[in-house]
Amino acid sequence: MIWLRKIKKLITTGYNPGEKYMAQIVRTPNMSQDELEQRIANSTSMTAGDVSNALKAFAYELGMSVANGRGVVTSVGTYQVQLKVKAVTTLEEVTTDTVEKINIRFYPNKSLQKAYEKAGNHLSFVETTIEEPVPVP
């Protein structure tokens, strides 16, 4: 179940700025690694320690691969290096200094995406109170 709430937000850009109403996801606490390890252990023949070791090894191998510019394809999706770069006017100006940020991006596979499609999820509002817009300084 994905829980939503209704909010009022001050939109300051675009063709139709002003106060608008929209749905916003209600964030619940993230699943801890311990809980994830235990849930995987309960549904497999692995122990929680085995799962922990596998996750640590996965994180290490993922880090090594992306550090070398390689994406990693898994059964749940693909991890790839993504850059935020500064555009410059000449070829000579392009240097490593024009790379502003390096991220690892996750692209879920089609079956995982289907699990999160709107039609496949139960959406429900938990409250009807409206947050007041936060003024932009």
Side-chain angles (χ1 to χ4, degrees), residues 1-62:
M1 174 72 64
I2 296 177
W3 297 101
L4 304 172
R5 66 181 174 166
K6 298 175 184 178
I7 64 165
K8 182 173 25 174
K9 188 169 182 178
L10 182 61
I11 306 296
T12 59
T13 61
Y15 294 109
N16 194 13
E19 290 185 354
K20 305 293 178 191
Y21 299 89
M22 61 187 70
Q24 181 183 60
I25 193 168
V26 175
R27 299 279 177 202
T28 56
N30 291 335
M31 182 185 297
S32 69
Q33 183 163 331
D34 288 342
E35 182 183 356
L36 176 63
E37 291 167 0
Q38 192 58 57
R39 291 177 69 131
I40 292 172
N42 290 344
S43 63
T44 67
S45 62
M46 298 171 71
T47 67
D50 292 339
V51 174
S52 177
N53 289 336
L55 290 174
K56 288 175 187 172
F58 173 73
Y60 174 79
E61 293 301 331
L62 177 64

Side-chain angles (χ1 to χ4, degrees), residues 8-121:
K8 182 173 25 174
K9 188 169 182 178
L10 182 61
I11 306 296
T12 59
T13 61
Y15 294 109
N16 194 13
E19 290 185 354
K20 305 293 178 191
Y21 299 89
M22 61 187 70
Q24 181 183 60
I25 193 168
V26 175
R27 299 279 177 202
T28 56
N30 291 335
M31 182 185 297
S32 69
Q33 183 163 331
D34 288 342
E35 182 183 356
L36 176 63
E37 291 167 0
Q38 192 58 57
R39 291 177 69 131
I40 292 172
N42 290 344
S43 63
T44 67
S45 62
M46 298 171 71
T47 67
D50 292 339
V51 174
S52 177
N53 289 336
L55 290 174
K56 288 175 187 172
F58 173 73
Y60 174 79
E61 293 301 331
L62 177 64
M64 294 300 291
S65 293
V66 297
N68 289 305
R70 296 183 68 196
V72 176
V73 179
T74 70
S75 60
V76 294
T78 303
Y79 297 84
Q80 289 185 336
V81 177
Q82 182 179 28
L83 301 177
K84 179 180 179 188
V85 297
K86 179 181 175 185
V88 292
T89 54
T90 66
L91 185 62
E92 291 76 25
E93 291 178 278
V94 178
T95 67
T96 56
D97 291 335
T98 60
V99 176
E100 295 177 341
K101 191 172 185 181
I102 302 171
N103 284 320
I104 299 173
R105 175 87 190 255
F106 174 68
Y107 297 93
N109 68 12
K110 297 293 181 195
S111 62
L112 188 59
Q113 285 178 359
K114 285 184 180 183
Y116 290 95
E117 287 178 349
K118 181 179 174 184
N121 281 302

